[in-house]
């Protein structure tokens, strides 16, 4: 008979929530890009602000960067806990949770800031999944799990 490991189950649930958060971020970007046109003929060669709407998505201004890209960034960061190939830089390693209490905080931040406010009811459902992951992280810690159990992925 196989034993049920709460740490592995919790890590799986968190990974699935992060995967859905990543997909939510991609869907949100697609919806934002829908109907966005690049002007060419209407613009002169050196006309300022001709394609201004693009800067509403692709900008380094913090209010746009964080607002538009948060679900995708949190989803990829959450998946990179278990998928080493998604750790694009050394900064990722320092941001990743080491214990299930850290993981609970990370998933709560994902639910509140990366899920609820994006793509309607789908975002709320993904936030509920992330919230369930928070509860499992707390349960895993209460049952004696210390460090996060990494899933064995091929990437």
């Amino acid at each position: 008979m196989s034993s049920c490991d709460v740490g592995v189950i919790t890590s799986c649930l968190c990974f699935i929530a992060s995967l859905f958060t990543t997909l939510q971020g991609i869907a949100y970007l697609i919806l934002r890009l829908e109907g966005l046109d690049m002007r060419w003929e209407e613009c002169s060669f050196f006309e300022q602000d001709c394609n201004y709407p693009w800067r509403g998505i692709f900008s380094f201004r913090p209010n746009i960067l964080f607002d538009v890209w948060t679900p995708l960034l949190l989803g990829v960061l959450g998946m990179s806990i278990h998928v080493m190939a998604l750790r694009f830089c050394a900064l990722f390693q320092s941001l990743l949770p080491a214990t299930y209490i850290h993981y609970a905080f990370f998933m709560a931040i994902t639910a509140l800031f990366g899920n609820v406010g994006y793509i309607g009811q789908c975002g709320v459902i993904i936030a509920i999944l992330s919230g369930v992951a928070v509860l499992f992280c707390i349960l895993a810690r209460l049952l004696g799990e210390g460090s996060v159990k990494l899933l064995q992925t091929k990437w």
Side-chain angles (χ1 to χ4, degrees):
M1 190 161 245
S2 64
S3 63
C4 190
D5 187 354
V6 70
V8 173
I9 293 170
T10 300
S11 291
C12 285
L13 185 59
C14 290
F15 179 78
I16 291 168
S18 293
L19 174 65
F20 280 124
T21 301
T22 302
L23 295 174
Q24 175 189 18
I26 292 168
Y28 178 72
L29 287 172
I30 290 170
L31 291 172
R32 288 285 304 256
L33 288 170
E34 200 172 280
L36 191 63
D37 295 322
M38 182 180 292
R39 297 179 189 168
W40 179 258
E41 293 180 10
E42 299 91 1
C43 300
S44 64
F45 194 70
F46 284 112
E47 184 177 338
Q48 71 181 28
D49 296 333
C50 183
N51 285 305
Y52 180 79
W54 280 86
R55 292 195 325 236
I57 297 174
F58 302 102
S59 175
F60 285 123
R61 288 186 299 187
N63 59 333
I64 292 175
L65 180 70
F66 289 119
D67 184 47
V68 173
W69 295 91
T70 295
L72 184 61
L73 292 175
L74 285 174
V76 169
L77 187 61
M79 287 176 51
S80 74
I81 295 167
H82 304 285
V83 180
M84 301 295 176
L86 292 177
R87 296 183 186 179
F88 300 119
C89 64
L91 177 64
F92 272 50
Q93 186 64 33
S94 64
L95 294 174
L96 298 179
T99 68
Y100 280 106
I101 295 301
H102 296 154
Y103 217 164
F105 280 113
F106 176 79
M107 294 309 295
I109 288 169
T110 300
L112 295 172
F113 298 102
N115 296 138
V116 173
Y118 297 89
I119 66 170
Q121 295 173 347
C122 180
V124 174
I125 292 169
I126 297 171
I128 291 168
L129 177 62
S130 295
V132 170
V134 169
L135 295 176
F136 268 77
C137 287
I138 294 169
L139 178 67
R141 181 61 194 116
L142 291 174
L143 292 176
E145 296 289 341
S147 60
V148 173
K149 292 197 175 176
L150 299 179
L151 303 176
Q152 294 179 0
T153 58
K154 292 185 179 183
W155 310 290

